Amino acid sequence: MDVKALLERNSARMNALYADRDQSARYAELADAFRAHFGREPELFVSAPGRTEVVGNHTDHNRGRVLAGAVNLDTVAAVAPRTDARVVLYSAGYDKPFQVDLSDLSIHEDEKETTFALIRGVAARLKELGYAIGGFDASVTSTVFKGSGLSSSAAFEVMLVAAFDALYNGWTIDAKLNARISQYAENVFFGKPSGLLDQSASAVGGLVTIDFGPDDPVVEALNYDFGAKGYAVCVVSAGGEHGNLTADYAAIPSEMKAVAAAMGVDVLAKISARQLEDALPMLKGKVSDRAILRAFHFVDETERVTDAVQALREDDLKRFFEAVIRSGESSWKLLQNLHVPASDNQEMPLALEMSRRMLDGHGAWRIHGGGFAGTILAFVPYDLLDEYTARMNAVFGENATTALSIRPEGVVCIR
């Protein structure tokens, strides 16, 4: 495979995806890895971006609204079909391949929270929906670093759906369906009760606002260039490990839905802030106080998305930044997902307080992603970027701060 010629044939798309970095070397290395593992040429590449959540922290699983965007960090696979029903996938950083026999698409309890579960879950859901599946070989690399809140798992799932689709279905699955299939794999096979935000942002691309209220979520694209306004979109890896936090993540939608059930509905999107306030005497003692506080976060946060989106449409950055900051404060105070109560370390609160002291009146800051550990998000004016990066890295480690850009496209197949 002549990787340089391949990328040149896709030059318009590649320029849109990777205007800020040269991808030729990365794709060539991935093709070399594929040849080394399998002794043949890959037939195509699939790229799925990570995502940044801007406003709408933990609202998707109760049919709220979010503002999110695909970013210029991605998971890329070099892929070729097999003649048998096996997926053999080498991932950079792992010595042994992940191998899954597609003749068995049942849920394996011992595979929960593993790559095997995601491969098997995506294949199972595709087959249930009537799509063709088949074996393939893949070499995978990713710049969506784990624990970043940029959703490395969603990018991986979206990439898997696209690989099956490109090889066996003629690239017929649209982005919204890709996201649903990916979510199913994560919820049912992997065992993590995530909403649809992560997968939707990765599959659709660009800066998007998503209303999860309807059965078919409404996705609207926003054309807004923070860079042209003089701001970098940064994530800071404050530390902590996500691997043992599944129960903490699961408690958030569970507690929110417990409040909804106590009020006679299935999700919080069906109640207003006033209804929640009026129901407090009934709720107190029936559900936990933390669940009530988390419900208040939801009803405020999903409305905050509307305000933030409108601010961007009116090019009112001051109002937008205020919404982002309020979102972060609500996650800290009401949602309570900034640190693990059993731990003395509070990396994210420390990173947020540092950001406030540097950016107050100049930008915005908030928790990023699921919470409890990982990263924060900050909008940093370019004239403060060097200082911000240096001071954050001095505390949280070299390369802790990453400046991102919004990627205009979601998952793509490059032949």
Side-chain angles (χ1 to χ4, degrees):
M1 171 181 282
D2 186 337
V3 174
K4 183 176 180 181
L6 175 69
L7 299 185
E8 287 176 350
R9 287 200 302 273
N10 288 271
S11 59
R13 170 172 288 172
M14 297 307 293
N15 287 339
L17 293 177
Y18 307 114
D20 59 333
R21 56 201 172 106
D22 179 13
Q23 287 294 296
S24 297
R26 183 178 177 214
Y27 275 71
E29 289 173 3
L30 188 58
D32 287 342
F34 187 95
R35 295 186 195 101
H37 291 313
F38 302 110
R40 60 191 181 115
E41 295 288 328
E43 290 195 6
L44 54 88
F45 294 95
V46 177
S47 165
R51 69 98 181 101
T52 181
E53 170 200 278
V54 182
V55 184
N57 195 217
H58 281 285
T59 58
D60 54 334
H61 44 61
N62 267 259
R63 296 208 172 193
R65 291 186 290 272
V66 300
L67 173 62
V71 299
N72 61 322
L73 303 178
D74 63 347
T75 295
V76 180
V79 182
R82 295 175 60 95
T83 57
D84 60 14
R86 283 197 306 145
V87 171
V88 180
L89 185 150
Y90 282 88
S91 182
Y94 294 87
D95 294 332
K96 296 180 179 180
F98 298 93
Q99 300 191 54
V100 173
D101 184 350
L102 301 181
S103 65
D104 176 8
L105 297 180
S106 62
I107 297 171
H108 291 210
E109 291 298 324
D110 61 341
E111 288 183 350
K112 290 289 179 72
E113 300 188 36
T114 71
T115 298
F116 302 101
L118 294 178
I119 297 170
R120 203 181 303 275
V122 163
R125 189 57 174 163
L126 283 165
K127 187 173 182 179
E128 287 176 5
L129 295 174
Y131 289 96
I133 61 171
F136 62 81
D137 291 329
S139 287
V140 178
T141 186
S142 182
T143 52
V144 188
F145 44 101
K146 290 184 178 181
S148 64
L150 298 170
S151 202
S152 56
S153 60
F156 184 78
E157 296 151 12
V158 167
M159 176 276 293
L160 287 173
V161 175
F164 280 116
D165 185 27
L167 292 173
Y168 296 108
N169 296 283
W171 199 252
T172 59
I173 297 174
D174 67 25
K176 290 170 70 173
L177 180 56
N178 181 314
R180 286 189 174 278
I181 294 167
S182 299
Q183 181 201 23
Y184 176 91
E186 184 158 322
N187 290 173
V188 178
F189 280 72
F190 189 82
K192 183 178 178 181
S194 67
L196 197 57
L197 161 63
D198 299 347
Q199 295 83 359
S200 294
S202 178
V204 173
L207 190 64
V208 295
T209 179
I210 308 171
D211 183 354
F212 292 102
D215 289 337
D216 185 17
V218 178
V219 181
E220 296 181 61
L222 295 172
N223 183 17
Y224 200 88
D225 188 345
F226 292 105
K229 301 294 181 180
Y231 289 87
V233 183
C234 296
V235 288
V236 180
S237 179
E241 174 56 49
H242 283 78
N244 60 350
L245 297 176
T246 297
D248 296 280
Y249 294 130
I252 293 176
S254 176
E255 290 181 9
M256 287 184 178
K257 288 177 180 177
V259 174
M263 296 183 66
V265 295
D266 57 338
V267 290
L268 286 178
K270 296 180 180 179
I271 65 171
S272 67
R274 181 57 185 270
Q275 288 173 318
L276 181 59
E277 292 168 7
D278 290 345
L280 278 175
M282 178 271 293
L283 292 172
K284 176 64 176 173
K286 190 171 185 179
V287 295
S288 71
D289 292 347
R290 187 177 71 174
I292 296 171
L293 292 172
R294 285 175 164 173
F296 273 120
H297 166 81
F298 176 91
V299 294
D300 291 344
E301 182 78 347
T302 196
E303 290 302 319
R304 200 155 26 235
V305 171
T306 301
D307 184 42
V309 169
Q310 190 61 32
L312 288 179
R313 286 175 172 156
E314 296 174 2
D315 196 20
D316 188 344
L317 264 183
K318 181 177 182 294
R319 178 177 158 199
F320 169 75
F321 286 155
E322 288 171 351
V324 171
I325 294 167
R326 290 198 310 273
S327 172
E329 291 296 314
S330 180
S331 290
W332 193 335
K333 179 180 177 181
L334 300 179
L335 191 59
Q336 300 178 33
N337 66 331
L338 262 66
H339 68 280
V340 180
S343 173
D344 291 333
N345 290 327
Q346 297 192 18
E347 300 96 342
M348 285 200 295
L350 177 59
L352 289 169
E353 178 60 14
M354 289 179 63
S355 298
R356 184 189 70 80
R357 289 171 179 271
M358 284 185 276
L359 300 177
D360 194 12
H362 303 287
W365 57 93
R366 53 152 295 168
I367 182 178
H368 187 251
F372 300 108
T375 58
I376 67 163
L377 177 72
F379 292 84
V380 183
Y382 285 136
D383 60 358
L384 292 178
L385 182 58
D386 288 345
E387 178 187 358
Y388 181 83
T389 299
R391 293 178 67 178
M392 298 304 281
N393 288 358
V395 174
F396 298 106
E398 186 178 1
N399 301 320
T401 306
T402 303
L404 306 171
S405 61
I406 301 298
R407 167 168 150 164
E409 292 197 43
V411 62
V412 296
C413 174
I414 303 162
R415 292 183 183 273

